[in-house]
Structure formats: structure tokens, C-alpha cells
Amino acid sequence: MATLYHVHPNTPQLRLIEQIRDELRSGAVMLYPTDTVYAIGCDLTVKSAVERVRRIKRLDNDKPLTFLCSSLSNVAHYARVQDGAYRLMRRLVPGPYTFLLPATKLVPRLVMEPKRKTTGIRVPDHAICRSLIDALGNPVISTSAHTLSEDGNTKDGHRSRFELFDHLEKSVDVIIDSGVEPGFEVSTIIDLTQDVPEIVRHGLGWEAVVEWMPVS
């Protein structure tokens, strides 16, 4: 049974954040709120926890996992960011955007796309996420919890946070309740691996991406 933490959405309690941090460092998998949807995640650097996230979502190893960084400067440790990509990202972060970028050696193989050696990175606009990353000292995995049906297949449906808690309490170790119902619109995915950025999934905030993307 998962441990439930009631964390304030805007001013997270440091004591609780530190308790969750310690659990993550020990290999815990968590269900937690982001600025888009509730996500399943763990410490990026704990292989056993990343493997559990994959099993929960039934993701093969050739399917990359997105992770959250605290800032644009933090992203540079985990991805190679060209000047054009940096200018676009600077306009959009923090926010509901996933950037596909060439991975550095700090990204575990179990997380990146194995053939292209790319990774998906977000800088969320969410106080709990930022507090967790800062306390942990490294990124956290983030994969949507809303598309998980009872039989493990993807599902096009909306769940309240309490439905998510009930559904996943036996699969995860930590549940963070911010007291706020989750959003149901996923992040916009932008491929920055080429010279010209490309939107590969239209999600929350995609209109702003179009506004700032360079004209080809």
C-alpha cells in the first residue's frame, strides 16, 4: 500500500518533500501532480525504479521515457542544445512542453530512445515538481498516469485524482495529493534534434510554440 502525502500545491512543505526525496533515493516509485497531468515517476538515476515504471506502464525498453529538469541550465547537463533550440526553449520554459533532444552520457540507456540516442525533457511550471527535483539533486521520470486502463492498455478517458489513487495505490510506493484535480491535456512535444523544430504532438500550449517557432 502506497504512502499518501498531502503536499501544498504552491508552497510545498519542506519536511514532506525531504521524506519523499528519501523514498525516491531508496528506489520508490511515485504518483504525483505536474502542470499537465498526474504522472508516474521515480529518481532518474535508480535503475530498479525506472524498470518498475516501465512495468507499470507496460513500456518496452525501446520506448523512451520523459524526465523533468529544474531549469534550462539543468537541461544542458542531460542534452546537447544547439543555439536555435536554446532560443526557442528559453521562450517556452517553464511550461507544458516536452523537448526531444540528443542525449548526453548522463542519461541512462534505459531512459533514452536507443536508436537515435535522443531523450525527452520537460521543465515543468509546478512548485511540487520543482521542489522534488531541487531536493533530489537530479531529474525525475515523468510518464502520464491517465492513459492506464484496468487491464494495462491505453485508455482515452478522464480519471479524478481519487480514481487514480485507488487504481495505482498497489503499484506505486508514494502518492502525492496536492488537493487539486489533475489536468487531462498532455504536454506538447517538440522535436529539436534537427535544424528546424517540429511539433510531433499537439498538447497543452501548442499555440505558443507556433508563435515562437522560426519560419522555414
Side-chain angles (χ1 to χ4, degrees):
M1 190 70 67
T3 302
L4 179 64
Y5 292 89
H6 296 278
V7 181
H8 194 281
N10 300 318
T11 55
Q13 304 93 316
L14 179 59
R15 173 180 58 85
L16 298 181
I17 292 296
E18 290 178 341
Q19 290 177 12
I20 297 169
R21 174 204 62 197
D22 292 343
E23 293 209 47
L24 293 176
R25 285 178 175 171
S26 297
V29 172
M30 64 178 173
L31 175 65
Y32 67 107
T34 74
D35 53 347
T36 54
V37 299
Y38 255 80
I40 299 170
C42 64
D43 184 331
L44 176 73
T45 67
V46 180
K47 182 180 178 181
S48 61
V50 176
E51 290 173 338
R52 283 185 58 203
V53 171
R54 285 194 173 279
R55 289 197 297 271
I56 293 170
K57 286 296 298 279
R58 298 192 178 182
L59 292 174
D60 295 332
N61 287 348
D62 61 347
K63 301 294 184 183
L65 287 169
T66 294
F67 58 88
L68 308 182
C69 284
S70 59
S71 65
L72 191 52
S73 60
N74 187 223
V75 170
H77 294 292
Y78 300 92
R80 296 190 300 276
V81 184
Q82 301 299 325
D83 290 345
Y86 177 83
R87 287 192 292 270
L88 177 62
M89 294 172 67
R90 187 177 59 185
R91 304 225 182 236
L92 297 173
V93 302
Y97 306 101
T98 299
F99 304 101
L100 302 182
L101 292 159
T104 69
K105 293 181 179 180
L106 289 180
V107 179
R109 291 186 178 182
L110 192 59
V111 173
M112 71 174 68
E113 202 285 327
K115 293 182 179 179
R116 299 177 64 200
K117 299 294 190 295
T118 57
T119 192
I121 301 179
R122 291 194 56 211
V123 180
D125 187 13
H126 196 279
I128 292 176
C129 293
R130 291 195 301 269
S131 296
L132 284 173
I133 298 166
D134 289 342
L136 195 60
N138 52 256
V140 296
I141 294 293
S142 180
T143 178
S144 171
H146 289 270
T147 55
L148 207 62
S149 68
E150 298 296 335
D151 60 4
N153 295 318
T154 57
K155 175 181 178 180
D156 184 18
H158 293 173
R159 296 179 188 269
S160 70
R161 73 184 195 278
F162 297 115
E163 289 174 320
L164 284 172
F165 297 169
D166 288 343
H167 180 54
L168 290 167
E169 65 179 353
K170 294 181 180 179
S171 299
V172 301
D173 307 298
V174 169
I175 294 176
I176 300 176
D177 184 2
S178 66
V180 178
E181 285 302 317
F184 297 105
E185 194 170 359
V186 293
S187 65
T188 292
I189 300 178
I190 309 160
D191 189 339
L192 297 177
T193 61
Q194 306 298 323
D195 292 336
V196 179
E198 179 185 2
I199 298 177
V200 296
R201 183 177 74 187
H202 288 72
L204 192 62
W206 70 268
E207 299 91 346
V209 181
V210 175
E211 179 182 351
W212 292 111
M213 280 177 62
V215 179
S216 58

